[in-house]
Every structure is written in structure tokens, then in C-alpha cells.
């Protein structure tokens, strides 16, 4: 039975904090004591047109929040909570929501549409609410349905399609939805509001339309309606129609060829003369086409250049008209776009699309772009100079080095001089272009670089002068220095070229980080990130003294942050950001000095002072700082080795805090990684802390609120602990192995059509194997028999993983697929393309390596005790043979070792 809650809802929005808090408490109490009645009361409030707008608004919000949440675990719990409610209450709530779609109040209709979709996302996959689609379609077909009801119904259909999977509806339902939506776009029959809702609904329904797009007549009709709608007089409708075309470009690329001439004319007209919101989508259409063709190129047969999914080369065919159209957009800059990287306008979109075109057609883009560059680069109008520079920078990825090198060499001096241009936009874009050149065309390790010993000094002189320019320019200059330094990593003798300039580079980066005129720019973080890269890529034998002088300077800066006056949350945030940057620099310095025995002493001499600073930073309790300080401590543990034991008594409390921090799961994940670092550093000296650490790790694994991404590292950490403490791990085996077996069971239940779950499943499998390897190696010298009860389960799990490469998903095989190209077709896995009908469930490379390694560890640690197990596991020979045929040398080497261990057991 519904309760009267209007006054509570109004009071919960009172300006008086006391009234508001009391009302919120009353609403929470009602929700906790009688959830079904509470949800029904909210629905009654929402449907009642006599109720105040404010109470209806909050009722809608509370309904949504009772069904959905951003956090995946909370969302799952809310879904279970709804499904557990008595069907009579749920039916009443759903009926009231459907009635609300006819409300004269737009906000109520909109909220109801959203809530219906949230319920649909819970119930439809469970085969519940089977009459929802039919009920909604009835609203569209009834003669006396008001325009407002049709608009709300179409909006609801769009939201429902957005929330559920295309597998949740049968084809008849899909056909009916598409028919209603496409008819709703009809100009002659419906108001602008209805047509806008229909067009937006179509956007969400396109994923359901695979069968319809395979039917030429249905496809022609849908494309005709969308293209006509893209010419509507209302801007919002045109924008929504172009958004549909963008989605069609990426979802149904393979059927677009008959429509491309029409689509080019539509998009060209929009780019040249329509409102920016529409023009942006028109450019995005071509960006989507580029994305599809770039992906198709990646999956082409390397021997023949053929692909089993057709590449129609739309970009190559349209390039002579498309590129000039995009170049014109570059001249439509906004006055202040250089001040805000978040600005997205037609100029930015055009440049991004031009870059994708370059990646798609390669060398062919250069002769189309260079006349524009040459014609505009010297003009007096800053817009022309900036556009020319942006065009040049945008096409640096895609064309070959042979095509670009002469142009870059010829234009280098011009670009360096442009860093002194009178216009800020031009300098900003020039610095970005230089960073692109250094990123893509400066790699001495491969034998090519546009930077030579002769021009390096000039380049650095210009960059170190320009880093003093306006903050946005200085930020881009930091990017240029970043990639310039990165190019010298592992560059042999060439890495020495930067050494003479290191002191000056570091000094200017520190000055840039200290600037007080940065405003909203990211100059400070960019300067510190660049400093990290400069240190990381430096030639340590030549620059150790310079970095040794940097170390106390950074420590001093970190110490100063601890003395800052904090009077507001903004002050606290700025302090945290600065501490995070400085901890990051210290981490890189520690890692750099730890990389050679000759320089490790620099860290050992200052380790005590560094650790004191990190421990003081932890007291700030900022999660960002916590992450960076944890990472730096992991590096320090590696550098100091067993000596790190003296820091453990004080550090342990922060380790505990990090492992218990399930809300800020990144902190928890990083802390788990640091536990591994500490174990590797201390070996059995970590033993006094292991009871507490293992308890916290096991609790974290059992915590349903903890983000799932943390759980694989925890499992791997079991292996690190076992390796460190050896036989002392025995008391943890029952609990740890139970968790590992449950994780293995969970792997088999994952939805392997979900890309995110595929990645997570692979991480989980690898971590289980790593845990087993560490534990087996830890027991190898003594008490190996402890693991014997778990050996059969491990081999069964490995066999399951082995079979991953031998399961195929067969859908509608195209008639054009011949036996000859079937064999190549099997090895193509083209995500997101309906053109690929036959796909393989591929085993992840890292999972394979971990599985092979743990088989060897099992045989090595348990020896003859596993003879019968390996004899009965016939898959082992096939698995080893497969791995020994691999092109991966590391995998072949591991498989060879594992084969030797198994053979030794079998002949024992």
C-alpha cells in the first residue's frame, strides 16, 4: 500500500538544514522498513499531476537511485533487491510508470522513461516484463495518442534499447520497434518533438538492427529516412540524424557502398554550412569510416594484403574531395581554444579527422595537404599560419619516413622560428607539432632521427626559451622535451647527445613547475612528468652526478609541502597534487639509481631521509598522494633490499590502511603491488607481518564491494609471499588455495562475449597460475607434499585453458566464404564488426605462458608424486607441442623447460 510522502519529499529540499536532515532520515527509514511500499509511494507521487513539481522530481530521482548505481557491485545488489520484491508491488510500480508517460509535465515523462528503462535492464534479461515492448508500441499505434505520449514512448524505447542487449529481444520485437521509431521520424505526420525523440531512439536501436541491415529493402528504407531527417529544418533533429549516421558507419560499414555518394554530399554540405553541432557530427562520420578502415588494414593478410572483411577504401576514393574539405575546417578556430584543451570545435574535429585520414591512406595524403601548408604558413592572418601548422602536425603519422623526412628537414627551421611568432595560438600549435615530430620521427635506436648533433643545440635553445612563454605554450613545450628525451632511450652512443644539456633542461623544468601564473593549465604536472622522462631516459653513467644533485632538491620541495598552510579543501587538493608529482619524481630517481650497482649507493645513503618524508606524506591521507608515495616506497624497497626491514614497523600501519581501502580501489591495488615488492626485498624477514597481511588480503578477496580489478593482483601476491617465506606459508595454504580454486571456477562462468570480462578473465587466469607457481616454488625445497592435494585441480584448470583455443563460435557463415580463405578467416578476430561472422575464442598469450610455466613448476616441485597425474593428462603433450611450434621465443623456451620437467617425472 502506498504511503503519503509528499511532505517528506518537499522537506528534504528545504533550505533549512535541520528540516532537510530530518526529512532525509524519515525517507531512509521508510525505504529500509518497507522497500516495496516505498517504491510504490514514489511511483504514485510521480504519476500524480496534482502533486508539486518539486516532490515529483525528487520521487523520480529516488526511484532511479533505488534501481541503478555507477558502481558495478552496488548496481548488481540493487538489481537483486528489485527482483526479490513481490510481483504484485512490481506490477503496480510498472503500471504507474507507464501511465506517467502520458503526463502533461515533460519532466515527469522524461523521468518515467528513464526509470522504465532501468527496470527493463533488470527484468528483460531475466525473461520478465514480456509485454513491455508491446505496451509501448500500443502507445504509438493508437489513433487518439497525444503527441506528448508518443514523444515519451519513443524516448522510453530509446532508453530501453540503450540499457539492454540486442540478444534480449526476438526479431519480431526488433522489427516492431524499428518500424515505430522510423515512422516516428516521418516529417508529414509528427511534431518536431516526436521526430527528435524518434531519431534519438533509432540511434540506440541500431545495434539491434543487424538482420534489418542485411535486408536490402529494409536497409534502403532506413537509410532513406535517416538521410532525409539529416536535412530537417530543426538543428537538434539534424544533429541526431548525423549521430545515427556516425553509428551506422562504425556498425554497418560493410553495407555502406551504395549510399556513399549521398552521404558525402550530406556531410560536405553540413561541414561547409551547417551549425557547428551538426558539422561536428558530419566530420565524426568520416572519422568513424577511418577507424573502420584502419582496423581492417590491421587484420589484412600480411602476405596478400587481402582481408576477409571487405575494405571498400572509401577514404582513399574520397580523399581528393575529403581532404580539402577538412583543411577548410582548420581555419575556423575559436579565439581562446589554445587556453583550454577541453574545447572541441570544428577546427579540432577537422584536424583529428585529417590525422585519421593520414593513417588510413598514408603517403597519398601528403600531396593533398602540403599545398595548403605552403600557401598559408606565411600569411599575415594568424588563423592561416596556425591552420597550416596544425595540418602539417596532423599528417605526421601514417605516411612513410621516406615521404615525411625531406619535408620535416625542410620545415624544421621554419617551425623553430615560429616559436617566436607574435600570436599565442601559432606558438601553441607549433610546440604541439614539434612534439609530434619528436614522438614519431626521432628514434635513434632504429637508425632514424630528424635530430642530429648539428641541430640539437638549436632545438634545445628554442625549447628552453619557449618554456618561459605563456602557460599553454610552455605546457606543449614540455611535451616536446618529453618526446625528445624519450627518443634517446636505449639509443646506444646517441644517448650521450643529450647529456651536456641535462642540467639546463632540469633547471628550466623546475622553474616551469614553480610558476605562479599557470591558472587552469596543467603546466606544473606536465613539467614534472617531463622531468621524470628526462631522468628515466638519461645516460646514467654520464649523468649520475647531475641526478644526485636533483635528489636533495626534490626531497627539499617535498618537505616544504608538509609545512604549507592548509585552510581550505582547495589548498588540500593543491598540496596533494604537488606531493603526488614530487613522489613520482623520487620514484623515478630511485629506479634510475637502482638500475646499476655503481649508482645504487646514492639511494642507500639517503634512504632513511627519503622514507621519513614518505611516511610524513602518508599522514596527509590524500588518496592521490597515497598512490604515488606507495609506488615510490615499492621502488625504495627494491633498491634497499633486506635493509628495508628497519622501516617495516612504522610503515606497516600504512600498508594495512592501503589494503583496507576498498573505496579507493586504485590505492588498494597499488598497495597489493607494494606488498609484492616488499616480499621480494625482504624474503623471510617479512614473516612477522605475514599474518596481518594475509588476513587483509583474504578479507579483500571476500569483499563484494571491492572493485574486481584488484582481485587478480591479490592472487598473484599469494605467490610473492610464498616465495618469500617458503615453508612458513603452509598455514595459509587452506585459505589461499580455496580462494584460488573459487577464482578458477569463476573464470569458467564469465561471459566471454564481453570485451571487459575477457580482459578481466585473462588477468584472473594469469594471476591464479602465478600464485600456484610462487607457492610451488616456495615449497620446492621442503614440504612440497603440502601441495599434492591441489595438483589435480590445477591440471584440470590448465586443461580448461588449453581448450580455449579449440572452441569456435559459428554464426551465419557467408555464402561467399570459400574453403581456400576459410583457414585465414579463422585467425581473424575483428571486434565490433558485423562483417566478421566466424570468430575464434583465442587464448591470451600471457595466460598461455603462465599456464606452461606452472606445469613445469608442478612437475619440478612435486616430482615423481605427479607421475600418474601427468600420465592421465593426455592434453599435456598437445599443449607442449603447440607451444614449441610458437613464434614466441620466450614461450618456446619455457615450454622446452616444462617438457623436460614432465619427462623427468614420467621416467622416474
Amino acid at each position: 500500500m502506498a504511503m503519503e510522502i509528499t511532505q517528506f519529499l518537499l522537506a528534504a529540499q528545504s533550505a533549512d538544514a535541520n528540516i532537510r536532515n530530518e526529512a532525509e532520515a524519515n525517507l531512509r527509514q521508510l525505504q529500509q522498513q518497507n522497500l516495496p511500499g516505498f517504491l510504490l509511494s514514489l511511483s504514485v507521487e510521480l504519476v500524480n499531476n496534482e502533486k508539486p513539481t518539486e516532490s515529483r522530481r525528487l520521487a523520480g530521482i529516488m526511484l532511479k537511485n533505488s534501481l541503478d548505481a555507477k558502481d558495478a557491485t552496488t548496481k548488481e545488489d540493487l538489481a537483486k533487491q528489485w527482483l526479490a520484491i513481490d510481483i504484485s508491488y512490481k506490477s503496480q510500480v510498472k503500471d504507474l510508470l507507464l501511465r506517467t508517460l502520458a503526463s502533461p509535465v515533460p519532466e515527469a515523462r522524461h523521468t518515467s522513461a528513464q526509470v522504465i528503462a532501468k527496470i527493463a535492464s533488470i527484468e528483460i534479461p531475466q525473461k520478465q516484463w514480456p509485454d513491455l515492448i508491446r505496451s509501448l508500441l500500443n502507445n504509438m499505434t493508437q489513433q487518439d495518442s497525444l503527441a506528448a505520449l508518443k514523444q515519451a514512448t519513443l524516448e522510453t524505447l530509446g532508453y530501453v534499447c540503450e540499457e539492454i542487449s540486442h540478444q534480449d529481444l526476438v526479431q519480431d520485437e526488433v522489427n516492431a520497434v524499428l518500424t515505430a521509431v522510423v515512422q516516428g521520424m516521418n516529417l508529414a505526420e509528427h511534431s518536431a518533438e516526436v521526430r527528435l525523440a524518434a531519431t534519438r531512439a533509432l540511434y540506440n536501436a541500431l545495434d539491434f538492427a543487424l538482420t534489418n541491415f542485411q535486408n536490402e529493402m529494409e536497409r534502403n528504407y532506413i537509410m532513406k529516412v535517416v538521410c532525409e531527417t539529416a536535412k530537417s529544418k530543426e538543428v537538434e533533429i539534424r544533429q541526431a540524424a548525423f549521430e545515427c549516421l556516425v553509428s551506422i558507419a562504425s556498425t554497418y560499414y560493410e553495407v555502406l557502398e551504395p549510399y556513399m555518394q549521398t552521404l558525402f554530399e550530406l556531410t560536405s554540405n553540413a561541414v561547409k554550412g551547417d551549425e557547428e553541432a551538426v558539422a561536428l557530427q558530419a566530420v565524426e562520420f568520416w572519422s568513424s569510416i577511418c577507424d573502420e578502415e584502419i582496423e581492417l588494414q590491421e587484420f589484412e593478410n600480411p602476405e596478400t594484403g587481402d582481408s576477409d572483411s571487405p575494405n571498400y577504401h572509401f577514404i582513399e576514393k574520397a580523399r581528393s574531395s575529403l581532404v580539402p574539405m577538412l583543411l577548410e575546417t582548420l581555419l575556423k578556430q575559436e579565439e581562446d581554444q589554445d587556453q583550454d584543451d577541453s574545447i572541441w570545435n570544428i577546427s579540432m574535429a577537422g584536424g583529428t579527422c585529417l590525422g585519421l585520414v593520414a593513417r588510413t591512406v598514408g603517403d597519398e595524403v601528403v600531396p593533398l595537404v602540403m599545398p595548403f601548408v605552403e600557401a598559408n604558413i606565411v600569411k599575415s592572418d594568424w588563423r592561416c599560419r596556425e591552420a597550416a601548422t596544425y595540418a602539417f602536425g596532423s599528417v605526421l603519422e601514417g605516411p612513410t619516413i621516406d615521404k615525411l623526412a625531406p619535408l620535416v628537414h625542410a620545415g624544421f627551421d621554419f617551425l623553430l622560428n615560429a616559436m617566436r611568432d607574435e600570436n599565442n595560438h601559432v606558438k601553441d600549435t607549433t610546440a604541439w607539432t614539434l612534439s609530434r615530430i619528436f614522438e614519431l620521427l626521432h628514434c635513434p635506436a632504429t637508425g632514424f632521427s630528424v635530430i642530429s648533433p648539428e641541430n640539437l643545440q638549436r632545438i634545445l635553445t628554442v625549447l628552453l626559451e619557449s618554456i618561459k612563454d605563456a602557460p599553454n605554450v610552455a605546457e606543449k613545450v614540455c611535451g616536446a622535451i618529453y618526446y625528445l628525451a624519450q627518443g634517446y632511450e636505449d639509443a646506444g652512443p646517441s644517448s650521450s647527445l643529450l647529456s651536456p644539456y641535462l642540467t639546463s633542461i632540469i633547471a628550466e623544468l623546475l622553474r616551469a613547475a614553480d610558476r605562479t601564473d599557470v591558472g587552469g593549465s596543467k603546466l606544473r604536472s606536465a613539467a614534472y612528468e617531463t622531468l621524470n622522462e628526462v631522468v628515466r631516459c638519461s645516460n646514467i653513467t654520464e649523468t649520475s652526478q647531475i641526478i644526485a644533485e636533483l635528489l636533495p632538491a626534490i626531497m627539499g620541495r617535498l618537505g616544504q609541502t608538509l609545512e604549507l598552510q592548509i585552510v581550505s579543501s582547495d589548498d588540500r587538493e593543491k598540496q596533494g597534487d604537488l606531493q603526488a608529482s614530487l613522489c613520482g619524481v623520487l620514484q623515478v630517481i630511485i629506479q634510475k639509481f637502482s638500475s646499476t650497482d655503481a649508482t645504487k649507493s646514492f639511494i642507500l645513503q639517503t634512504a632513511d631521509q627519503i622514507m621519513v618524508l614518505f611516511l610524513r606524506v602518508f599522514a596527509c591521507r590524500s588518496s592521490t598522494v597515497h598512490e604515488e608515495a606507495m609506488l615510490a616506497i615499492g621502488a625504495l624497497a627494491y633498491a634497499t633490499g633486506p635493509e628495508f626491514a628497519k622501516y617495516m614497523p612504522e610503515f606497516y600501519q600504512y600498508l594495512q590502511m592501503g589494503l583496507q581501502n576498498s573505496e579507493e580501489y586504485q590505492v588498494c591495488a597499488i598497495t597489493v603491488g607494494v606488498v609484492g615488492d616488499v616480499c621480494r626485498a625482504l624474503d623471510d624477514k617479512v614473516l612477522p607481518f605475514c599474518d596481518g597481511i594475509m588476513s587483509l588480503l583474504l578479507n579483500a578477496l571476500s569483499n563484494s564491494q571491492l572493485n574486481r580489478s584488484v582481485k587478480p593482483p591479490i592472487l598473484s601476491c599469494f605467490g610473492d609471499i610464498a616465495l618469500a617465506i617458503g615453508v612458513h606459508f603452509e598455514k595459509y595454504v587452506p585459505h589461499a588455495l580455496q580462494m584460488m580454486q573459487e577464482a578458477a571456477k569463476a573464470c569458467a562462468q564469465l561471459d566471454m562475449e564481453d570485451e571487459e570480462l575477457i580482459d578481466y578473465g585473462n588477468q584472473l587466469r594469469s594471476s591464479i597460475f602465478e600464485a600456484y607457481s610462487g607457492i610451488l616454488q616456495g615449497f620446492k625445497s621442503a614440504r612440497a607434499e603440502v601441495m599434492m592435494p591441489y595438483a589435480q585441480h590445477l591440471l584440470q584448470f590448465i586443461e580448461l585453458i588449453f581448450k580455449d583455443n579449440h572452441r569456435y563460435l559459428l554464426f551465419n557463415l557467408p555464402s561467399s566464404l570459400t574453403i581456400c580463405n576459410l583457414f585465414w578467416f579463422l585467425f581473424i578476430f575483428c571486434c565490433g564488426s558485423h562483417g566478421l561472422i566466424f570468430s575464434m575464442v583465442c587464448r591470451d598469450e600471457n595466460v598461455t605462458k603462465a599456464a606452461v610455466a606452472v606445469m613445469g613448476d608442478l612437475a619440478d616441485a612435486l616430482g615423481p608424486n605427479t607421475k600418474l597425474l601427468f600420465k592421465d593428462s593426455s592434453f599435456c603433450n598437445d599443449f607442449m607441442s603447440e607451444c614449441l611450434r610458437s613464434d614466441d621465443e620466450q614461450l618456446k623456451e619455457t615450454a622446452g623447460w616444462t617438457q623436460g620437467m614432465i619427462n623427468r617425472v614420467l621416467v622416474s
Side-chain angles (χ1 to χ4, degrees):
M1 182 175 174
M3 300 169 277
E4 176 56 52
I5 59 173
T6 305
Q7 294 308 312
F8 290 146
L9 292 168
L10 292 173
Q13 302 171 69
S14 171
D16 187 318
N18 292 327
I19 296 174
R20 187 171 65 250
N21 292 337
E22 183 181 355
E24 289 173 353
N26 286 327
L27 288 168
R28 275 195 303 272
Q29 186 177 9
L30 290 172
Q31 184 175 20
Q32 292 163 2
Q33 291 178 347
N34 183 5
L35 179 63
F38 180 69
L39 296 179
L40 180 59
S41 301
L42 292 173
S43 305
V44 168
E45 191 78 20
L46 184 62
V47 76
N48 192 337
N49 293 321
E50 304 295 321
K51 295 290 184 178
T53 302
E54 293 78 8
S55 65
R56 297 177 76 185
R57 180 186 301 118
L58 184 56
I61 291 171
M62 296 190 77
L63 269 172
K64 282 190 290 184
N65 291 344
S66 298
L67 295 163
D68 191 34
K70 289 183 179 179
D71 178 74
T73 305
T74 306
K75 182 173 184 171
E76 186 177 342
D77 290 343
L78 291 174
K80 290 177 181 176
Q81 186 175 266
W82 169 261
L83 290 171
I85 293 174
D86 185 89
I87 192 168
S88 63
Y89 277 97
K90 289 192 290 187
S91 297
Q92 290 181 73
V93 169
K94 291 185 287 189
D95 181 59
L96 290 166
L97 289 169
L98 288 170
R99 284 166 50 193
T100 309
L101 295 179
S103 171
V105 180
E107 189 174 356
R109 297 197 303 270
H110 174 72
T111 301
S112 182
Q114 291 179 314
V115 178
I116 289 169
K118 295 301 179 186
I119 295 175
S121 72
I122 298 170
E123 293 201 353
I124 288 181
Q126 304 293 325
K127 307 304 179 186
Q128 299 181 22
W129 210 357
D131 57 345
L132 170 62
I133 299 299
R134 184 171 63 253
S135 299
L136 292 171
L137 293 175
N138 284 341
N139 292 343
M140 298 301 299
T141 55
Q142 289 175 2
Q143 295 266 335
D144 57 347
S145 290
L146 297 174
L149 175 59
K150 290 185 175 182
Q151 180 269 332
T153 299
L154 288 164
E155 186 176 25
T156 306
L157 285 168
Y159 287 145
V160 170
C161 290
E162 185 178 20
E163 291 285 346
I164 66 176
S165 165
H166 63 87
Q167 298 170 332
D168 293 328
L169 297 183
V170 298
Q171 190 57 45
D172 284 347
E173 289 177 314
V174 172
N175 293 343
V177 169
L178 286 172
T179 299
V181 166
V182 173
Q183 286 179 352
M185 296 166 68
N186 189 300
L187 176 63
E189 296 181 18
H190 298 294
S191 66
E193 290 76 19
V194 171
R195 288 188 290 117
L196 177 60
T199 310
R200 288 174 173 169
L202 177 63
Y203 176 84
N204 288 324
L206 283 169
D207 277 344
F208 295 73
L210 172 60
T211 301
N212 309 85
F213 266 81
Q214 289 173 340
N215 181 303
E216 183 180 2
M217 187 169 69
E218 293 182 36
R219 181 176 70 242
N220 285 343
Y221 181 65
I222 293 171
M223 291 299 295
K224 176 176 176 289
V225 172
V226 175
C227 289
E228 287 175 353
T229 306
K231 301 175 189 174
S232 298
K233 64 179 182 179
E234 298 87 358
V235 174
E236 277 191 298
I237 296 178
R238 292 200 303 276
Q239 179 183 348
F242 273 105
E243 286 171 357
C244 289
L245 290 174
V246 171
S247 179
I248 290 168
S250 58
T251 311
Y252 302 111
Y253 167 89
E254 67 277 6
V255 297
L256 283 182
E257 189 172 32
Y259 317 104
M260 287 307 292
Q261 184 60 44
T262 300
L263 292 171
F264 182 84
E265 291 171 5
L266 266 179
T267 53
S268 179
N269 290 335
V271 170
K272 291 174 181 176
D274 212 326
E275 298 290 333
E276 184 170 70
V278 181
L280 283 170
Q281 293 304 317
V283 172
E284 185 64 23
F285 171 84
W286 289 103
S287 292
S288 294
I289 296 291
C290 288
D291 286 335
E292 290 301 307
E293 296 192 349
I294 289 168
E295 186 175 4
L296 287 168
Q297 289 169 15
E298 290 173 356
F299 286 99
E300 284 178 351
N301 185 324
E303 294 180 3
T304 65
D306 295 332
S307 171
D308 291 283
S309 292
N311 185 341
Y312 291 106
H313 302 283
F314 294 136
I315 300 300
E316 184 180 341
K317 293 171 184 174
R319 69 183 188 277
S320 58
S321 301
L322 177 61
V323 171
M325 178 183 80
L326 294 173
L327 290 171
E328 287 303 308
T329 67
L330 305 188
L331 294 163
K332 299 178 181 179
Q333 309 96 323
E334 293 178 15
E335 287 286 348
D336 58 349
Q337 72 180 37
D338 60 325
Q339 301 293 327
D340 185 357
D341 287 339
S342 66
I343 285 179
W344 188 248
N345 56 33
I346 192 65
S347 170
M348 305 295 291
T352 300
C353 187
L354 183 62
L356 290 169
V357 170
R359 289 176 57 196
T360 308
V361 303
D363 287 354
E364 294 170 356
V365 79
V366 175
L368 297 171
V369 170
M370 288 313 296
F372 176 87
V373 173
E374 291 162 359
N376 286 279
I377 198 73
V378 293
K379 287 186 177 177
S380 58
D381 186 345
W382 72 265
R383 293 180 184 277
C384 296
R385 300 197 304 278
E386 193 275 339
T389 310
Y390 189 21
F392 187 63
S394 296
V395 299
L396 291 171
E397 184 178 8
T400 60
I401 288 176
D402 289 343
K403 191 75 172 179
L404 290 173
L407 301 173
V408 173
H409 281 301
F412 226 142
D413 275 346
F414 198 96
L415 288 169
L416 293 174
N417 288 332
M419 288 304 300
R420 299 185 178 92
D421 195 280
E422 62 189 25
N423 183 272
N424 197 63
H425 293 74
V426 175
K427 289 185 286 189
D428 183 274
T429 303
T430 301
W432 171 80
T433 300
L434 287 170
S435 73
R436 294 266 294 169
I437 290 171
F438 299 152
E439 177 186 6
L440 300 167
L441 298 169
H442 166 51
C443 189
T446 63
F448 177 80
S449 175
V450 294
I451 302 175
S452 65
E454 292 73 31
N455 65 13
L456 178 59
Q457 183 174 1
R458 168 114 197 275
I459 291 168
L460 283 169
T461 299
V462 171
L463 292 178
L464 296 183
E465 178 185 323
S466 298
I467 203 172
K468 302 167 188 173
D469 211 313
N472 62 292
V473 175
E475 183 186 333
K476 303 294 193 307
V477 170
C478 285
I481 296 172
Y482 180 101
Y483 288 114
L484 187 150
Q486 189 179 81
Y488 288 114
E489 183 182 12
D490 301 324
S494 295
S495 65
S496 298
L497 293 175
L498 202 60
S499 299
Y501 307 99
L502 202 68
T503 301
S504 300
I505 293 171
I506 289 173
E508 291 302 335
L509 288 170
L510 290 175
R511 286 193 191 98
D514 289 340
R515 284 174 57 167
T516 57
D517 63 340
V518 295
S521 82
K522 300 173 184 174
L523 175 56
R524 174 176 285 167
S525 60
Y528 279 123
E529 286 170 14
T530 302
L531 179 59
N532 289 346
E533 197 67 2
V534 168
V535 171
R536 193 180 68 81
C537 299
S538 63
N539 186 321
I540 188 64
T541 58
E542 297 174 352
T543 60
S544 59
Q545 197 55 49
I546 298 170
I547 298 172
E549 292 170 5
L550 176 63
L551 177 57
I554 298 299
M555 290 170 62
R557 285 167 177 249
L558 185 56
Q560 288 168 15
T561 67
L562 299 167
E563 310 303 327
L564 291 173
Q565 290 283 345
I566 306 298
V567 295
S568 68
S569 58
D570 189 48
D571 289 341
R572 176 69 68 188
E573 184 179 354
K574 287 178 180 176
Q575 180 199 42
D577 290 343
L578 181 53
Q579 288 176 340
S581 293
L582 292 166
C583 286
V585 178
L586 287 174
Q587 180 193 352
V588 172
I589 293 174
I590 292 167
Q591 290 171 333
K592 191 69 178 178
F593 279 143
S594 303
S595 63
T596 69
D597 291 336
T599 55
K600 192 174 285 189
S601 60
F602 287 112
I603 294 302
L604 298 178
Q605 291 164 11
T606 54
D608 289 353
Q609 298 97 299
I610 294 174
M611 193 65 189
V612 167
L613 279 172
F614 289 153
L615 292 174
R616 291 182 65 194
V617 165
F618 276 122
C620 295
R621 301 290 177 88
S622 163
S623 64
T624 307
V625 168
H626 199 168
E627 290 178 50
E628 299 294 342
M630 270 293 177
L631 288 167
I633 285 176
L636 188 64
Y638 173 82
T640 55
E643 292 299 312
F644 191 81
K646 63 184 176 182
Y647 307 126
M648 280 301 292
E650 193 169 353
F651 173 54
Y652 179 65
Q653 62 176 308
Y654 298 111
L655 208 59
Q656 286 180 303
M657 288 166 56
L659 293 175
Q660 291 172 320
N661 195 345
S662 59
E663 290 184 9
E664 295 167 325
Y665 69 89
Q666 299 94 334
V667 173
C668 187
I670 287 168
T671 307
V672 171
V674 171
V675 170
D677 295 333
V678 169
C679 288
R680 286 185 287 274
L682 298 186
D683 289 330
D684 59 358
K685 287 185 178 181
V686 78
L687 187 58
F689 306 95
C690 282
D691 282 354
I693 290 172
M694 282 298 297
S695 176
L696 290 168
L697 292 176
L698 290 167
N699 286 341
L701 278 177
S702 304
N703 183 356
S704 61
Q705 301 299 314
L706 180 64
N707 188 285
R708 69 185 180 208
S709 65
V710 185
K711 299 190 176 183
I714 291 175
L715 293 171
S716 297
C717 195
F718 288 163
D720 295 328
I721 294 171
L723 267 176
I725 64 175
V727 295
H728 299 290
F729 192 80
E730 183 175 351
K731 64 179 176 179
Y732 308 124
V733 165
H735 304 292
L737 269 291
Q738 181 186 349
M739 289 294 188
M740 289 157 59
Q741 289 179 346
E742 287 177 3
K745 184 179 177 181
C747 286
Q749 298 171 346
L750 292 174
D751 177 6
M752 297 312 284
E753 291 184 27
D754 184 318
E755 283 186 54
E756 285 188 17
L757 285 179
I758 289 172
D759 289 341
Y760 172 67
N762 287 331
Q763 292 167 17
L764 200 55
R765 292 178 177 89
S766 294
S767 68
I768 294 167
F769 290 140
E770 288 165 5
Y772 270 113
S773 283
I775 296 170
L776 286 165
Q777 290 174 38
F779 284 126
K780 178 183 173 183
S781 57
R783 300 288 296 154
E785 64 273 14
V786 170
M787 291 299 292
M788 195 61 211
Y790 307 99
Q792 184 171 6
H793 178 273
L794 173 57
L795 280 174
Q796 289 171 346
F797 184 48
I798 296 171
E799 183 174 11
L800 185 66
I801 301 306
F802 167 67
K803 290 178 179 178
D804 270 0
N805 253 27
H806 302 272
R807 291 185 293 118
Y808 299 95
L809 301 177
L810 184 58
F811 299 108
N812 299 316
L813 203 64
S815 58
S816 60
L817 186 64
T818 65
I819 294 297
C820 294
N821 64 20
L822 175 60
F823 292 100
W824 175 249
F825 204 40
L826 293 177
F827 292 93
I828 306 294
F829 183 78
C830 189
C831 297
S833 171
H834 290 293
L836 184 65
I837 309 298
F838 195 100
S839 64
M840 184 165 75
V841 181
C842 294
R843 190 192 317 122
D844 181 75
E845 183 180 280
N846 292 326
V847 173
T848 301
K849 290 177 181 177
V852 171
V854 79
M855 287 174 69
D857 289 324
L858 182 66
D860 186 29
L862 301 187
N865 292 329
T866 58
K867 183 174 182 177
L868 288 177
L869 283 176
F870 278 112
K871 268 190 175 180
D872 292 341
S873 301
S874 57
F875 78 93
C876 291
N877 283 334
D878 293 336
F879 199 1
M880 290 303 102
S881 298
E882 174 195 306
C883 296
L884 290 168
R885 291 193 302 269
S886 170
D887 293 332
D888 187 314
E889 291 301 322
Q890 184 185 1
L891 178 57
K892 286 168 68 173
E893 183 181 342
T894 304
W897 173 80
T898 295
Q899 185 74 72
M901 291 296 104
I902 294 173
N903 288 342
R904 191 175 73 180
V905 165
L906 293 175
V907 300
S908 60

